[in-house]
Structures are given as structure tokens and as C-alpha cells.
Amino acid sequence: MVKVWWWRRCFPFAFILTAFIGGAYGGNVTYDGRSLIIDGEHRILFSGSIHYPRSTPQMWPNLIAKAKEGGLDVIQTYVFWNLHEPQQGQYNFRGRRNIVRFIKEIQAQGLYVTLRIGPYIESECTYGGLPIWLHDIPGIVFRSDNEQFKFHMQRFATKIVNVMKSANLYVSQGGPIILSQIENEYGNVEGAFHEKGLSYIRWAAQMAVGLQTGVPWVMCKQDNAPDPVINTCNGMQCGTTFKGPNSPNKPSLWTENWTSFYQVFGGVPYIRSAEDIAYNVALFIAKRGSYVNYYMYHGGTNFDRIASAFVTTSYYDEAPLDEYGLVRQPKWGHLKELHAAIKSCSKSLLYGTQTSFSLGSRQNAYVFKSNSTECAAFLENNEDRTVTVQLQNISYQLPPKSISILPDCKNVAFNTAKVRTQNDRSMKSYLRFNSAEKWKVYKEAIPSFDDTSLRANTLLDQISTAKDTSDYMWYTFRFNDNSPNAQSILSAYSQGHVLHTFINGNLVGSAHGSHRNASFVMENKLNLIKGMNNISFLSATVGLPNSGAYLEHKVAGLSRVKVQGQDITNQAWGYQVGLLGEKLQIYTASGSSKVQWERFQSSTKPLTWYKTTFDAPEGNDPIVLNLESMGKGYTWINGQGIGRYWVSFQTPRGTPSQKWYHIPRSLLKSTGNLLVLLEEETGNPLEITLDTVYITSQ
């Protein structure tokens, strides 16, 4: 077992684990080469990622209860720096950001917590979870041995640890937090920073341990994690790909077992089977793994504008608990059975001696014996055909690509390929918004150069200029054309993500990039009027980039413009950040009165705001908006952003990446709910429906 004196000897900061008398969690957490040790007891732990900002506080109790019922011991969450400190020095821990309330709810239900402070988290969160104001710190280099970044990283990490300590949330204080994480998958970028990468990771470990949380720290995908920090695995096959702990004194932990994969606009969902997840978990445990976290166990919703570039509003809907918190079978039930089977032989697994041997060309046995009577076995078939193997003179039939678990080395309690549970999810239409009289519209103004106050004789980077206050930024200029009979060619080079071109107030073209390649070139043949023409580009980001080295250097928006081959990049440009409707907050009840809304007409135009009201459905079934008839835009309910939609960017199969958008019931009143949509392109709001979601068993 790793003891406090060993940590002190290996590290300049004392890693103090204090005892707490009383309460459900009082005690300490240590580790050795086999597992985490909680209150002196070795533990095999199953964990699930649930991110508090991706659901509502009203949803948290039910999500945690279903996770516990599914056999989980731990809830794992990131800490979202950009949400907690949106402006430097101004903190927000209210509503969906109330992390203390979230952790206390976990504690109330008897589960532990792994707190991934980061504070860089990636997590398909805009800017990797870093607040945009970091971008403007002079001389800063993100995630490097850079004094400016380290100062702010340490300041925020200290803030979060102190918030946790003040609420007595570490297990040494009687709380549920048993594990913390610093940094996130830094091994992916460390090489780009050369010697400053290694020195930074050493500093990060030293800084974290120095915060004296009383619990161990981990670094995921960081093979060289400095002692006493534990290096952990992320991926889908950590039983095969993980090189293992970098010290014999550290346990084998799996911090991200991807239950599916995040989805992007224009992409098809990645479906990972329950059988494949179970197989790889069983293999990891068979190879002496002791902690498995499902990323995600509940993905939830990317509310507001928190999704990173091109990521859909729905997040990990294929997880064991879907976007709305409903049980998704067979994953939830199959994994529950897996957890029960493994826990039934945990004593043999943790204290027994492991032997492994071949049962065939691609068949293996992993046997754990703790004494003459305690025995557990995992029988693996890594072939795509059914095989029969023998263990202790007993024959066992193993389905293709499966592992059988024998808690007593005799009887099969579980096989990873044998699924017993199924269900189906359906949507039922509750309300059709098909009455034109109930819709009102407001047409967003198209600014010209003369309407702008921000000017520059070059093209400005959208990220640096807009500072993530809006997805939108206008680039405007004037062009004097003396040859009206000839068509002009306008070439616009964008570094992401979407571009709409307006000539004298009229839309003449649109284009966009993709998750794989955000940059693109848009060319239009233009019929200009004789004399002065106003050309306005509306550039839109769909979330900010969230990964890679030197994130602070990433850019978006226009980078070059040509008219008839003439480069006009370095001429006078006028800029407007955001839309007028955003500035006036016309998506709120109070802001809505600041503009003149008009009656709905049969024809729709780009950049149009729509509003209507509706009553909430009775009951408790989740509620969604079906926006299949719309194009691209954003939706608010009672002034709360429920995320971006982009139905027109279809998959290669010709279907939307996402057409249902979650409305948490806690955002609704019984009557008179305000629905506002900003439609960038064109769409038909008369075909929008309000649906309820329900599960049918099979």
C-alpha cells in the first residue's frame, strides 16, 4: 500500500490523508498496485460520467438514482472553467453550474465522486472548457510551462479545491470525492511543446498534490505522470491498448470507456454495442484493472452555446442513460448484470493470485485464486466464431468475441455476448405549431459599412474579436463598380465555420465547412449595381475549437477576399459583433417588446426571428421540439437557450444529424411558454411539432 511517508519522500508536497470520524464517508483513500483502497479496503469500482451543466438540477436526482441502480459506485464529472469564471474573477455557481449541489446529491444517494478539475477538459466543450478571456492575457501559451497560464490555472484549481473543502466534500472530510484529475489527455499534445511540455506536466502534478485534497490525483492518457499521480487509460479497448501503470505501486484505472462517441453536424451517430462494451470491461478487469468509468453514462444536452466546433446539441445520446435521462437498453441492463457478476467475485479478484493461460488459438483463461476455496475465472474467446473450451475438466461454450465470468470457477454467471434486455424509444406528437396566426416574425437588419463602428484596414479574426459573446460577426465593405454590365466574381476564403454573403441587403450565397475541415472557399457570380455597392458577410462559428496544441492561436472567420481577382483583404472593413436581436435579447419576454414583430407570411427569408407561445404537456415524459422543417439556427424557451440546430447539414444518408431538441420540463410553465427561434437560412415553422418521449419494452 502507498503510504503518506512514501509520498512525502517522492514529492516535495505532503499528500496528507486524514481520518474523519462519523458520517457515511469518513476515512481515507490510498492505493497500491492492485486498486484504490478506501478505509483500508481494496475496491473494484464502476463509475459513470454525468456532467452537471448538461442536465438540470431537477434531473440530477433521477440520473444519479438510475446510475446507482445500474450498479455504479462512482459518478465522474469534469469541472467547467468557462462556465464558472466567464469573466476573469467573476464566478458563477448557480443553476446548472451548482457543482456543490450536484456532488451533495451524489453523496445523499451513497455514491462516490471523481472530480476532473482539468482545468482544460476538452469534453466537446467550446474552447476545451477554457474561458475565452485567457486568450487576451499578454504572452500566454496555453497548457505549457508558461508563467501566465500556470498562474491562472493554479488560481482556478485552488478556487475549486477550496469550494470543495468549504463544503466538506472530500472523503477525508466525510464527503464523497475519492479521486481528482489534473490536466486532460496531455500526452496527445506534449510533444508539440518540446521540453516545456515535460516541465509543465511535472509542475501540474506538483501543484495539484500541493493542494492537499486528501485524495489521490490522476492524469489520463499521460504515460509519464509524475509520482504520486496515477496515469490512467482513455479509449474503447483499455484491456488491450493500455500499457499499464508507470509504477508497480499504482493501480490500473480506466477513466474513459467511451459508450459511443460524440456526434457532429453532418455526421452519422456512432453506435457501440452493449456486447462490445461489456467484453472490453471484462477483459480489463481480467487483466487486473480495478476502476472503470463509462464516458458517458449520461451525455445530456449542450445547452446554450457550450458545444465545441460542429458538435451537435445532443451529447452522447447512445449512452446507457439517453439525452433525456431515460434508460437505453440493452446497454444499461447488460452492464448492470456485468457489474453484479464481477462484484460477486471481487474478493477473489482483489486478493487472489492471478494466472493466465491459453485455452486455444485465440482463447484465454484468467484465473484468480485467493485460497483453496475462493476462485474466479474469466474465459475469453477472441474469435468471430463459437468455440468450446475446457477449464478444470468442464466444457464451456463461448459465443463469438465474448468473455464468460465464472465467480466460482465452475458456473457461468454472465457472458458478455448474451443480451437479455431490450427496449425502444418513441416520440409522440403533442402539439403542431401549424397556425400562421400564432407566429410572429422579426427580420434581422443587414448592416452595411456605414452602420458599423468597429473599423480596421484588414480582416480581423472572429475568435479574437467576438470573444465568444456571439456565434455571429459581420464583415462589411464598400465596392465601387463602374462596369455594371459585366458579372463580377467574388471569392471569400473562410477559416470557419459558416458564411452568408449579402449584396446590397440581398442574400447571394452561403457556404460552410465541416468538422473535418472547417475552412472553405465560397465563390459567387455577382450582378452589381453601377456605383457604390455594400457587401456584407455574416460569418458564423458553430462552437469554438476545443483540442490541439496552441489552442490560443486557433482562428475563425474571413481570412481573404477577392473581387474579380483583386485582393481587397487590406482595405477598409467595418465590423459588427452579433445580431441586433441578440443585443436586444428579443428571445426574452422583456426584450421581445423592444422590436416590432410582424405577422407571419407564407414566404420565409434568411435571418428571420420567429416567436410563438405554447402550453406544457401534462405528465412527466421528456419534451422535445421536432425542428426537421427548419434550416440552421438557435432556439430559446422562456429566454433560456436550448442550443444550436442545424437540420439542413445532413448526413451522407440524407437525414439530419439531429432533429429533436430537448426542452427540460423545469424550464416550462404550465401555460404561456415563449418559444423563439433564430433561423439563419430558410425554414417552415408551421411544421414544427412539440413531442413527448416515451419508452416501450420489447
Side-chain angles (χ1 to χ4, degrees):
M1 179 176 73
V2 177
K3 296 186 181 291
V4 175
W5 65 263
W6 184 86
W7 272 323
R8 284 178 175 168
R9 185 181 65 182
C10 294
F11 224 71
F13 291 93
F15 193 73
I16 302 172
L17 303 177
T18 58
F20 180 89
I21 305 301
Y25 295 90
N28 61 29
V29 182
T30 57
Y31 64 76
D32 61 12
R34 185 62 190 98
S35 74
L36 294 177
I37 305 170
I38 303 176
D39 292 342
E41 180 183 355
H42 287 82
R43 296 289 300 272
I44 290 178
L45 298 169
F46 294 105
S47 171
S49 288
I50 300 176
H51 296 161
Y52 53 98
R54 286 175 161 140
S55 53
T56 64
Q58 293 75 15
M59 295 172 64
W60 295 342
N62 186 49
L63 294 172
I64 295 163
K66 288 178 178 175
K68 182 177 181 179
E69 186 183 352
L72 297 193
D73 309 286
V74 186
I75 301 297
Q76 180 171 293
T77 185
Y78 280 121
V79 179
F80 292 70
W81 189 359
N82 56 344
L83 298 184
H84 290 303
E85 194 180 7
Q87 287 82 40
Q88 187 175 348
Q90 299 179 25
Y91 295 99
N92 187 342
F93 291 95
R94 301 183 302 273
R96 289 185 291 106
R97 298 169 172 85
N98 194 338
I99 186 173
V100 169
R101 177 178 172 181
F102 178 69
I103 293 176
K104 285 187 174 180
E105 179 60 40
I106 297 170
Q107 180 180 23
Q109 299 204 35
L111 299 181
Y112 294 114
V113 172
T114 294
L115 192 65
R116 308 178 81 187
I117 294 177
Y120 168 81
I121 61 172
E122 190 171 353
S123 186
E124 294 68 62
C125 181
T126 190
Y127 224 43
L130 300 178
I132 193 66
W133 53 261
L134 277 178
H135 179 278
D136 295 331
I137 302 295
I140 198 166
V141 180
F142 294 174
R143 307 175 70 201
S144 177
D145 192 358
N146 170 269
E147 293 306 316
Q148 293 88 334
F149 182 75
K150 291 192 298 181
F151 171 81
H152 288 287
M153 174 176 169
Q154 181 169 2
R155 182 182 55 81
F156 181 73
T158 302
K159 171 72 175 181
I160 295 300
V161 167
N162 287 340
V163 167
M164 298 299 112
K165 287 181 178 179
S166 295
N168 295 319
L169 292 179
Y170 286 104
V171 74
S172 55
Q173 302 173 294
I177 302 174
I178 59 169
L179 206 60
S180 293
Q181 179 179 304
I182 196 71
E183 251 295 335
N184 190 70
E185 297 188 344
Y186 191 71
N188 292 343
V189 298
E190 182 179 338
F193 296 102
H194 306 291
E195 70 279 358
K196 286 187 176 292
L198 181 58
S199 58
Y200 164 71
I201 213 66
R202 289 172 175 168
W203 168 85
Q206 182 181 31
M207 181 272 291
V209 174
L211 295 173
Q212 298 186 9
T213 61
V215 302
W217 288 84
V218 302
M219 287 181 171
C220 61
K221 296 186 77 171
Q222 191 66 43
D223 293 342
N224 60 351
D227 291 341
V229 177
I230 305 167
N231 61 301
T232 68
C233 185
N234 288 0
M236 292 187 179
Q237 299 176 332
C238 285
T240 303
T241 62
F242 187 37
K243 297 178 182 178
N246 61 19
S247 164
N249 298 311
K250 297 178 183 180
S252 184
L253 311 181
W254 190 352
T255 38
E256 289 189 18
N257 180 7
W258 304 328
T259 55
S260 61
F261 209 62
Y262 67 87
Q263 190 176 355
V264 298
F265 288 114
V268 298
Y270 178 88
I271 308 298
R272 188 181 182 198
S273 71
E275 297 92 323
D276 183 62
I277 299 172
Y279 173 88
N280 283 282
V281 170
L283 184 61
F284 185 73
I285 297 296
K287 293 186 177 181
R288 295 176 56 82
S290 59
Y291 174 101
V292 177
N293 177 74
Y294 300 103
Y295 190 100
M296 300 290 295
Y297 199 77
H298 164 73
T301 305
N302 284 315
F303 296 112
D304 300 317
R305 299 168 46 253
I306 70 169
S308 62
F310 291 95
V311 171
T312 58
T313 297
S314 176
Y315 190 62
Y316 274 81
D317 184 41
E318 295 291 333
L321 299 179
D322 71 8
E323 179 184 2
Y324 321 116
L326 300 175
V327 167
R328 185 178 282 282
Q329 300 287 22
K331 283 183 184 176
W332 185 86
H334 196 52
L335 296 178
K336 177 181 180 179
E337 293 179 9
L338 169 68
H339 303 152
I342 291 173
K343 287 179 180 180
S344 71
C345 54
S346 60
K347 185 176 179 181
S348 296
L349 296 175
L350 289 167
Y351 298 102
T353 300
Q354 184 217 46
T355 57
S356 58
F357 47 90
S358 174
L359 298 173
S361 60
R362 295 175 64 183
Q363 292 76 39
N364 298 287
Y366 304 88
V367 179
F368 297 80
K369 287 188 177 182
S370 55
N371 53 46
S372 58
T373 58
E374 298 281 350
C375 181
F378 289 64
L379 307 183
E380 178 196 14
N381 176 20
N382 196 22
E383 285 196 70
D384 293 326
R385 64 183 182 90
T386 299
V387 298
T388 299
V389 298
Q390 279 202 338
L391 179 70
Q392 298 180 159
N393 298 319
I394 301 175
S395 295
Y396 298 93
Q397 190 177 73
L398 301 179
K401 196 71 175 181
S402 74
I403 294 176
S404 284
I405 300 175
L406 289 63
D408 57 0
C409 285
K410 295 179 181 178
N411 300 294
V412 176
F414 179 85
N415 180 273
T416 60
K418 294 182 178 179
V419 173
R420 305 173 191 269
T421 54
Q422 294 284 350
N423 71 3
D424 194 20
R425 187 178 73 183
S426 300
M427 277 66 170
K428 181 179 180 181
S429 179
Y430 165 78
L431 174 66
R432 298 183 181 276
F433 294 94
N434 56 2
S435 174
E437 291 76 19
K438 292 185 178 181
W439 284 101
K440 301 294 183 183
V441 301
Y442 170 73
K443 297 174 183 176
E444 181 73 24
I446 312 299
S448 65
F449 180 86
D450 292 336
D451 297 321
T452 62
S453 56
L454 177 61
R455 306 284 173 82
N457 290 324
T458 189
L459 291 171
L460 300 179
D461 164 46
Q462 185 171 348
I463 295 177
S464 303
T465 308
K467 303 184 190 304
D468 201 31
T469 57
S470 171
D471 283 358
Y472 303 103
M473 190 165 93
W474 289 98
Y475 293 73
T476 68
F477 72 100
R478 295 174 296 195
F479 185 76
N480 195 0
D481 186 41
N482 294 316
S483 54
N485 295 324
Q487 280 191 331
S488 298
I489 303 296
L490 176 66
S491 302
Y493 299 76
S494 173
Q495 298 180 99
H497 302 138
V498 180
L499 194 64
H500 306 291
T501 305
F502 296 83
I503 306 296
N504 299 318
N506 297 309
L507 180 69
V508 296
S510 298
H512 62 81
S514 66
H515 184 255
R516 288 181 175 270
N517 187 6
S519 301
F520 58 93
V521 180
M522 181 173 69
E523 291 193 341
N524 296 105
K525 294 181 179 180
L526 307 178
N527 289 313
L528 302 176
I529 62 173
K530 186 175 182 180
M532 191 63 66
N533 291 264
N534 287 300
I535 301 180
S536 304
F537 295 101
L538 179 61
S539 178
T541 52
V542 188
L544 299 185
N546 73 321
S547 62
Y550 303 104
L551 189 60
E552 69 277 8
H553 293 165
K554 300 292 179 71
V555 296
L558 280 177
S559 60
R560 192 179 184 188
V561 176
K562 293 181 179 181
V563 178
Q564 287 293 73
Q566 176 186 351
D567 195 324
I568 58 171
T569 300
N570 296 317
Q571 70 153 50
W573 288 86
Y575 298 91
Q576 176 184 304
V577 174
L579 305 178
L580 179 60
E582 289 181 297
K583 181 179 180 181
L584 298 176
Q585 296 185 340
I586 66 174
Y587 48 83
T588 65
S590 58
S592 177
S593 62
K594 296 178 181 179
V595 298
Q596 185 65 45
W597 294 83
E598 301 174 355
R599 295 181 62 184
F600 177 83
Q601 303 294 325
S602 58
S603 60
T604 60
K605 291 186 177 181
L607 282 184
T608 298
W609 296 78
Y610 299 93
K611 76 168 183 175
T612 189
T613 58
F614 66 95
D615 297 339
E618 294 182 355
N620 297 314
D621 289 339
I623 303 169
V624 293
L625 270 180
N626 185 339
L627 298 179
E628 190 172 16
S629 64
M630 303 304 287
K632 178 184 182 296
Y634 196 92
T635 307
W636 292 264
I637 300 291
N638 294 327
Q640 300 293 311
I642 64 169
R644 304 179 181 96
Y645 66 87
W646 198 353
V647 178
S648 62
F649 191 1
Q650 298 196 337
T651 71
R653 302 171 184 171
T655 58
S657 298
Q658 181 182 352
K659 68 177 183 179
W660 282 292
Y661 291 80
H662 184 206
I663 305 174
R665 281 189 174 268
S666 58
L667 300 185
L668 298 179
K669 304 175 292 184
S670 57
T671 60
N673 295 285
L674 177 64
L675 166 62
V676 177
L677 298 99
L678 166 65
E679 175 56 55
E680 257 179 67
E681 303 172 343
T682 58
N684 184 3
L686 300 184
E687 295 182 12
I688 296 174
T689 62
L690 189 71
D691 301 345
T692 56
V693 189
Y694 63 97
I695 294 295
T696 58
S697 298
Q698 292 183 354

